Amino acid sequence: MHLVYPVVISALLFSVGVYGVLARRNAILVLMSVELMLNAVNLNLIVFDMRWADRLHGGQVLTLFVIVLAAAEVGLGLALVLLIYRNRQTVDVDRLRTLREYDAEEGVRQ
């Protein structure tokens, strides 16, 4: 397999991820876009590991490390989104500019 095809696919995945992070307002979609970018990096690591075929398979090891980090990032990110939704009833990242608590019963900021 030629090296260009996976690199182009990886670049496209990363571009879609960057677009999602910059253009989307929903926090869950932003998290999914970050995952797309991490998977693009994983694809590059695997492809270049296969290309250079070193003894330690550093690309594959780094890919496993990135997968573990991505799983932790998704768990923490979804927990934060859930807490924000419970407190503010929205996951719109443009409306989440303050760190103050929002009292839903009174409808005022504290």
Side-chain angles (χ1 to χ4, degrees):
M1 179 170 58
H2 202 269
L3 187 64
V4 173
Y5 300 125
V7 171
V8 168
I9 290 172
S10 175
L12 290 174
L13 275 176
F14 196 84
S15 300
V16 169
V18 168
Y19 172 76
V21 168
L22 295 177
R24 294 294 181 170
R25 294 181 180 168
N26 189 331
I28 294 174
L29 292 178
V30 170
L31 280 175
M32 289 174 59
S33 299
V34 170
E35 290 300 314
L36 266 181
M37 290 191 294
L38 289 174
N39 285 327
V41 170
N42 286 341
L43 183 60
N44 267 338
L45 286 171
I46 293 295
V47 166
F48 285 109
D49 182 63
M50 288 176 50
R51 173 74 173 169
W52 286 313
D54 62 341
R55 289 185 192 174
L56 297 176
H57 297 288
Q60 293 179 19
V61 172
L62 279 175
T63 300
L64 288 175
F65 184 69
V66 170
I67 288 172
V68 169
L69 283 179
E73 177 254 337
V74 164
L76 185 63
L78 286 177
L80 285 173
V81 168
L82 185 63
L83 282 175
I84 289 170
Y85 182 75
R86 282 184 184 169
N87 287 332
R88 308 225 176 144
Q89 284 78 36
T90 184
V91 289
D92 187 1
V93 292
D94 287 337
R95 296 180 63 194
L96 302 174
R97 294 181 184 257
T98 61
L99 295 176
R100 289 189 238 162
E101 290 185 22
Y102 182 77
D103 190 6
E105 294 176 2
E106 296 179 12
V108 296
R109 296 182 189 272
Q110 296 177 350

